[in-house]
Amino acid sequence: RRIPRAEHPISRSLISPGALKTLYTLKDAGHEAYLVGGGVRDLLAGITPKDFDIATSAHPEEVKKLFRSCRLIGRRFVICHVRFGSEILEVTTFRGAITDSHERDETGRVLRSINALYYDIRDFSIVDYCGGLEDLKSGTLRLIGDPELRYREDPVRMLRAIRIANKMKFRLDPAAAEPISRLAPLLTEIPAARLFDEVIKVL
């Protein structure tokens, strides 16, 4: 579902200069570029985002050519860090058009299920895949897809679900809440540095 600019509250004046510059540079180079994730969610909820993430059709090497300040992170799933002063934008690649179903990266990860809300810089609309706007209105936090599978893929998602529900003062969907007590021991397999970062965000 696409929500036109007139029907949502996100204005470009609320988006950081670095994020706007990144979105426009990618668009002007012929790539699709979207603001995604928590930044879109927070803007829709009237909260000032702490950072902005971007998804694009550009491959990491193409992003690096467009931004001198770009640094590539990771091997299997490469993330681009683009710096504007003290601001670091996280830019990730999706393959094919944003409307393709079952979009996957080279590791088999379903990209379409990572971000439910996309802000399209081309026409300033919101693309809502999974009823995210309705969940915002009802104050419900739910996972995209099967919660148990999502938690097993990355147990840190359990901590994030609890943190974000509390931050937004949302109710955690029962299907997302139920597996947490059973799967909590999976957190012992997570590297201490990653857990530390997540706990700092909670605090």
Side-chain angles (χ1 to χ4, degrees), residues 46-201:
I47 298 169
T48 302
K50 64 174 177 48
D51 54 30
F52 292 98
D53 296 333
I54 291 167
T56 180
S57 59
H59 288 272
E61 298 75 20
E62 294 173 310
V63 176
K64 190 165 176 57
K65 285 178 185 174
L66 291 171
F67 301 97
R68 285 180 306 184
S69 63
C70 178
R71 189 166 160 236
L72 303 184
I73 310 292
R75 290 199 182 111
R76 289 179 63 203
F77 185 63
V78 179
I79 296 170
C80 307
H81 281 180
V82 177
R83 181 183 290 274
F84 286 94
S86 61
E87 182 181 16
I88 297 176
L89 286 303
E90 191 170 282
V91 181
T92 53
T93 300
F94 57 79
R95 286 172 47 196
I98 202 73
T99 52
D100 287 352
S101 62
H102 308 301
E103 195 62 48
R104 295 174 183 271
D105 69 14
E106 63 276 8
T107 69
R109 185 180 309 187
V110 180
L111 297 183
R112 210 184 150 197
S113 67
I114 294 174
N115 294 297
L117 295 167
Y118 290 74
Y119 174 81
D120 190 341
I121 196 64
R122 293 172 298 186
D123 60 5
F124 319 121
S125 65
I126 298 285
V127 183
D128 181 5
Y129 276 123
C130 304
L133 284 174
E134 288 305 313
D135 285 343
L136 274 171
K137 287 175 189 171
S138 69
T140 303
L141 182 81
R142 76 180 80 244
L143 272 73
I144 302 168
D146 175 46
E148 180 157 344
L149 177 61
R150 292 285 174 253
Y151 294 148
R152 288 187 182 280
E153 285 173 346
D154 184 359
V156 170
R157 288 179 177 144
M158 292 185 278
L159 295 177
R160 288 186 182 151
I162 294 165
R163 173 171 60 82
I164 293 168
N166 280 281
K167 170 189 173 180
M168 306 288 291
K169 297 182 172 56
F170 278 14
R171 177 183 71 97
L172 192 56
D173 179 60
E178 185 278 324
I180 291 177
S181 59
R182 289 188 291 105
L183 301 181
L186 294 176
L187 288 165
T188 60
E189 301 168 13
I190 301 299
R194 248 193 109 202
L195 281 181
F196 179 78
D197 286 344
E198 231 16 77
V199 170
I200 290 296
K201 290 176 186 175

Side-chain angles (χ1 to χ4, degrees), residues 5-27:
R5 172 64 188 94
E7 296 176 22
H8 69 76
I10 296 182
S11 161
R12 280 171 291 171
S13 65
L14 301 173
I15 301 171
S16 73
L20 283 176
K21 175 79 172 165
T22 304
L23 288 166
Y24 276 117
T25 299
L26 289 163
K27 179 181 84 73

